[in-house]
Amino acid sequence: MKLRKLLSLLLAGAMVFSLASCQGQETVTNNESEAASSDTASSEAESTEPTENQLIIGTITQMESEFYDPSFSNAATNYQMYDLLHGYTTVTATKEGEYEYDPTVVASHEETENEDGTKTYTVTINDGLVWSDGTPITAKDYVFAVLLESSPEMAEIGYPSQAGYSLVGYDEYLEGSTENFAGVHLVDDMTYSLTVKASELPYHYDITYASLWPRPMHVIAPDADVEESEAGAAITGDFTSELLETTVNDPETGYRAHPSVVSGPYTLESFDVSAQQAVFKINPEYAGDYRGVKPSIETLIVKLVSSDTMMNELEAGTVDLLVETSGADNIEAGLNLADAGTVNYNTYYRNGYGKIAFDCSQFPTDSKNVRQAIAYCLDRNEFVRQYTGGYGTVVHSYYGLAQWEYEESKDWINENLNTYEPNVDKAIELLEADGWTLGEDGQPYSGTGLRYKEVDGELKPLVIEWANTDGNPVSTLLATMLPESMEAAGMQLNATTMDFPTLQNAMLHASDKIYNMYNLATGFALASSPWYYYSKDPVWMQGGYNSNWIADDELDAVTQEMKSIPFDDRETWLTDWREFIKLWNDRLPDIPLYSDEYYDFFAPKLQNWDATPVWSWTRAVLDASVE
Amino acid sequence: MGKGRYLLKRLLYIVFVFFIISILMFFIYKSMPGDPVDAMLGSLKTTMRPDAYQDLYNRTAERLGVNEPLPVQYIKWIASMLTGNFGYSTQYQRQVIDVIGAPMLNTILLNVFTMVVVFVISIPLGIVTAVRKNGVFDKTVQVVTIIGYSLPSFIIALLAIFAFAVKIPLFPISGVRSAGADAGGLQGMLDMVWHMTLPVLVMSVSGIGGITRYVRASMIDVLRMDYIKTARAKGLREKTVIYVHAFRNALIPIVTITTWWIIGLFGGSVVIESVFLWNGLGKMLIDGLMNRDFSIVLTMQMFYVLLSLAGNVLMDIAYTIVDPRVRLEN
């Protein structure tokens, strides 16, 4: 390597006189001794050679100096890295995609249904859990977290402060009319209780109401305390937005950028925003995940790679792991490396899909028949073949391929859902049944040209306004596959290309022009909540949840019913879920286009790699080792 | 009109133009479709209850001041900007000054090295090709520089990566430094220079192509002049004729392009930054636009405006230095 560097230096001989300026690059570090030593002459002895027990993970999305939670930044890679740093959540998602109390954290728990319709969750945490600096973790740290992240002080520094939204007394606490949070109690040193509003119950995922996570009060508010009273828990002492500006927000010292004390499997060693690299070291104090599993890989380095060259980086050994690789070119390059024995791989389907999303409040896509007719005009199997190069599959309704409901319903889906095989005649039949039987002159449709329909005495053409984003291969492919068959059915597709914020504005009905359809992608959270996404209540439409703006009585009714099914009543849930996806498949607010096949490619030194759509790399890395 | 008065006039002109452009930029960007508050809050829209989101939206909009009339927003923005407060980045949720430093330094480093490589190679090359006009060497350089000048930089970049990072792995494929490498110390600096070499070479190709041809043309014009013939007739050495008499007189057009290069030091290249993952200003500007992060975009744009205006004055001053016949008052 030194020889290569020498060569590079010779080739760039003119560069050397400016070397000193390179020293201005700043690396964020939580290790004070290291930070100090980097400024000394001894830094010459520092090595850029990799240490042995480390894993370099390539990511194609930019990282930010944000390590708090998604409320401050939802940058994709940061989102995943939070899991490495922040652990000991009392309710956790298991590898099987279920929610359960984490036995490593929770000693006992109790749920009490109150007479006023509220429900109280009392949780006792295990003794012996400690922060990465050795400070014991107690129930105070959990109560502090919910008080902090619901507080007006935190809201003042730009945080949503919605952690306690479902709890009794949240509104008064956030407004600042009381310092006590009525629904939160510090029962004893190791026990807290949360009381959920009656209006938030019943709820299918109600176990998540009991979930809290600790925040290091001794770091974020060192001179504050949590005090219990009948009126609820409160933060006392020095706790102001000015303090939080320093301890949380300060880019040099704040917890957002420098989470110096953490509870997760790793600690943040350094983050170099300039080089786009984050270095994590094992947290020796970590007690394990819900299975008691602790990490064995000493150092994790997350670095930015380009999708164009990431396979070259893997081959060259400058990265060891590429997760969720999609697209035929990269997958085939990776498989070639695997054939040559250079890398190993793991594959799984994405828990989501790319789609055409209809705006069901706009003419003419407010008609189910029109939406279905468009679906019949598209050969989705061919679309998937061309778009994913064979590394993807077609889904037919609102489900992800990693959902347990899908796993248990594969045969049922094949038998009961309409697959909308391409059929222009069927499209024509649907359009004629919907009244699209006239030509431009108001006479019966001649069989060619644009179809018209008389609406309130006015002749309206069957024109579909489509908004898409620039440089999107899905848009390009749709633009070649859809217009011809739609034209054959008597429809006209008008495409408008724009950037994503403009498209988003149109979808939210916040722009002058609203379109009939958009192409987007969607992913399924573990707590999938269709009762919000298909609610008739305009609040959920304006709020961006029901982005299809569909107001369908049956769809609304079946999803609202699902919301109240108890979490452990899987049979009723599955029955209702099937009813929902069958209804959805008929109403067709979206046309699902493709569900990618993801590949994790990794160097042979990485052992026991078992990531899945619901078990991300940040959790799989705990089981993995490096040889 | 004296030199001082001329410079004062130009300074006033800069201030006037700066304010006019700031008004235009501000209103153009603010009229773009897309909501910066929505962009800032991102996925919270679909993770928060609609009423809670609306409360948060209102609070955030008030904090950012986007609810106020545009003229009021402009006055507040320009007043803050002139006092060194460049605003709050909705994309990074930090003060602009806190996020712009690292990419700016990366961009400057890359461009300084590129400029040095380009000028060290292209000026002597331009002079030599002018002196040996229509010779084999000149024709060869003409062809090579045309190719270098014409090829899109992303193609050169990908070819360079394939050749010098994949097939002959002399240089790293991408990035600013090796994974896990420390930023400080001599080793860290060497590591950074090693990472910088390939992007610098790629960026230099088109620069060398362009400037070599520029210097050559300028030198050919000067070498035709009578005073060059006189110098030769006086028996001066050829090196003195070319480097002292001819090159100095060919400097004016070179000063022009040098000034623009220096101004360009602060301008990032989206293509190079994306291909080599060099975290610089070009990508930051595009990301800022895509995320409606107007504080970042306006800060960068106004910085470029100021640089361009100041660059023009500096260019005028430089003309007087390289050619005493040029007078600022003229």
Side-chain angles (χ1 to χ4, degrees), chain B residues 4 23 34 36 39 49-50 53 61 63 66 86 95 99 132 144 175 179 189 199 213 222 225 257 303 311 323 327:
Chain B
I23 292 168
R49 300 303 181 89
Y53 179 83
R63 194 158 57 90
V66 295
F86 301 113
Q95 293 298 319
V99 295
R132 299 182 189 175
V144 172
M189 288 192 289
R213 296 175 70 79
V222 173
M225 296 292 170
I257 49 171
F303 181 57
D323 188 346
R327 295 277 185 276

Side-chain angles (χ1 to χ4, degrees), chain A residues 498-514:
Chain A
M498 58 193 72
D499 64 9
F500 190 72
T502 311
L503 181 140
Q504 206 174 18
N505 251 23
M507 282 187 73
L508 291 167
H509 291 193
S511 63
D512 295 337
K513 181 165 181 178
I514 303 168

Side-chain angles (χ1 to χ4, degrees), chain B residues 17-18 21 25 300-310:
Chain B
V17 174
F18 178 84
I21 294 179
M25 291 276 186
M300 290 176 69
Q301 293 285 14
M302 294 318 297
F303 181 57
Y304 293 144
V305 166
L306 203 59
L307 273 176
S308 302
L309 294 170

Side-chain angles (χ1 to χ4, degrees), chain A residues 54 124 268 407 417 443 545 561 627:
Chain A
Q54 77 172 19
T124 302
L268 179 67
E407 285 295 325
L417 296 191
Q443 298 301 309
Y545 279 74
E561 203 175 291
E627 282 190 349

Side-chain angles (χ1 to χ4, degrees), chain A residues 65 200 272 313 499 545, chain B residues 48-49 94 174 177 292:
Chain A
S65 186
E200 297 296 319
D272 185 339
E313 298 243 20
D499 64 9
Y545 279 74
Chain B
M48 292 178 75
R49 300 303 181 89
R94 300 242 187 263
S174 67
R177 58 177 60 95
R292 302 297 188 263

Side-chain angles (χ1 to χ4, degrees), chain A residues 1-2 4-5 7-9 11-12 14-15 17-25 27 34 38 43-44 46 48 56 62 64-66 71-72 74 155-162 165-166 174 200 209 249 251 256-257 272-277 279 301 303-306 309 312-313 316 318 499-502 505 508 532-533 539-540 542-545, chain B residues 32-35 38-53 55-56 59 63 88 91-94 98 102 105-106 109 112-113 116-117 120 158 161 165-166 169-171 173-194 196-197 200-201 274-275 277-279 283 287 289-292:
Chain A
M1 186 179 279
K2 284 185 177 172
R4 287 176 196 164
K5 285 178 184 169
L7 276 169
S8 73
L9 283 171
L11 280 167
M15 299 177 179
F17 71 87
S18 301
L19 279 177
S21 57
C22 299
Q23 296 195 64
Q25 301 290 306
T27 301
E34 185 188 292
S38 68
S43 59
E44 286 179 27
E46 290 158 1
T48 59
I56 304 173
Q62 195 97 359
E64 294 169 11
S65 186
E66 287 282 1
S71 297
F72 273 126
N74 65 347
E156 278 182 47
I157 67 161
Y159 191 79
S161 286
Q162 55 146 359
Y165 180 86
S166 305
L174 177 64
E200 297 296 319
Y209 287 144
N249 260 4
R256 278 171 68 182
D272 185 339
V273 67
S274 169
Q276 284 289 301
Q277 281 183 26
V279 180
I301 299 172
K303 65 170 266 189
L304 186 68
V305 293
S306 159
T309 54
N312 299 121
E313 298 243 20
T318 48
D499 64 9
F500 190 72
T502 311
N505 251 23
L508 291 167
Y532 301 137
Y533 301 120
V539 165
W540 297 98
Q542 289 147 10
Y545 279 74
Chain B
M32 281 173 71
D35 185 339
D38 261 335
M40 173 177 165
L41 298 177
S43 62
L44 288 176
K45 185 155 195 137
T46 49
T47 56
M48 292 178 75
R49 300 303 181 89
D51 52 347
Y53 179 83
D55 287 345
L56 175 66
R59 286 201 307 270
R63 194 158 57 90
Y88 186 78
Q91 185 188 354
Y92 300 98
Q93 302 200 33
R94 300 242 187 263
D98 294 328
L105 189 57
N106 275 346
L109 281 174
V112 164
F113 284 149
V116 170
V117 171
V120 163
L158 292 174
I161 289 173
V166 177
L170 287 175
F171 303 108
I173 293 166
S174 67
V176 173
R177 58 177 60 95
S178 302
D182 201 293
L186 181 64
Q187 195 77 12
M189 288 192 289
L190 290 177
D191 186 57
M192 192 174 180
V193 171
W194 181 47
M196 200 188 294
T197 308
V200 164
L201 290 181
S274 301
V275 174
L277 298 178
W278 194 267
N279 185 24
K283 192 162 184 312
D287 287 348
L289 276 171
M290 296 306 290
N291 288 287
R292 302 297 188 263

Side-chain angles (χ1 to χ4, degrees), chain A residues 311 325-336 391 597 599 601:
Chain A
M311 285 302 160
T325 306
S326 64
D329 289 347
N330 275 327
I331 290 173
E332 280 168 9
L335 292 176
N336 288 340
Y391 300 100
E597 198 173 349
Y599 281 75
F601 291 105

